[in-house]
Amino acid sequence: MTLSPPNKPVTQINNLIEYLIPYSSLFSIKTGETIQYSNGTEKQCFLLHKGVVTQHRQGDGLVLSTDVAPFVFGLSNQFSLRDTVYLRGEEPCLLSRLSLEIAVEVIAEKALWESQSRLLAFESSRLYDQCARTAKMSSYDIIRDQLLELMNEPQSVRLNITAANYIKSRCFLSRSGIMRILSELRTGGYIKIDRGILLQINHLPLKY
């Protein structure tokens, strides 16, 4: 079972999905399949009904977040001049799509401002937390933080990506530096890794 982040506004997200789904069309994606927010003519909004999706930054593919159903994507980039983020399925997912313009109209018509604001506040605070955690942190601090994040990921994510690849996709540390620290933590009995997959965290010291 996957636990939602403690401040994820699940009730408000489900409320948005309830009102938006009649205007959307269902589709599914496979593991590794990507989705762009713009279809070439208009911006789109996506409703995640089932599965796990990661958000990536355009250009370098840096992972910005992992999102578990239910979730609504696209409302936070209404005023972006171009796509800066894309979505990637981490397992088979069921979604709906609708135009962002229609989503905005429905939210206004049904007075869903509170639900939308709670979702946007959640997204912005999560991004702020991520920036605050990585700014001026040591290499070990970043790796420690990412290992704890990885341990809390859904099994479909955690058991299908090596710890080194997970960390590398979310920061700009060198692979050799990541591998060195992981090797030292494994040798010291702080973590249990098998074929690169993180299986257990015994204890991660605050400083190393």
Side-chain angles (χ1 to χ4, degrees), residues 5 18 22 30 33 42 72 92 119 128 155 160 163 168-169 197:
E18 178 184 352
K30 302 176 182 178
E33 190 172 345
E42 62 179 2
V72 177
L119 171 61
Y128 174 82
Q155 282 196 358
N160 286 286
K168 186 70 179 70
S169 69
I197 303 297

Side-chain angles (χ1 to χ4, degrees), residues 126-185:
R126 183 176 57 178
L127 183 59
Y128 174 82
D129 288 344
Q130 181 188 39
C131 293
R133 288 199 309 265
T134 56
K136 298 184 179 179
M137 293 173 68
S138 69
S139 296
Y140 172 73
D141 289 335
I142 293 173
I143 291 173
R144 180 183 187 277
D145 186 71
Q146 292 298 331
L147 285 173
L148 293 172
E149 291 282 340
L150 175 56
M151 202 65 203
N152 288 322
E153 293 282 17
Q155 282 196 358
S156 57
V157 174
R158 182 168 57 84
L159 299 182
N160 286 286
I161 187 170
T162 65
N165 284 344
Y166 180 89
I167 296 168
K168 186 70 179 70
S169 69
R170 287 161 171 79
C171 68
F172 295 107
L173 298 179
S174 68
R175 180 172 295 277
S176 60
I178 295 170
M179 294 297 291
R180 176 181 60 78
I181 292 178
L182 289 178
S183 177
E184 291 175 357
L185 290 173

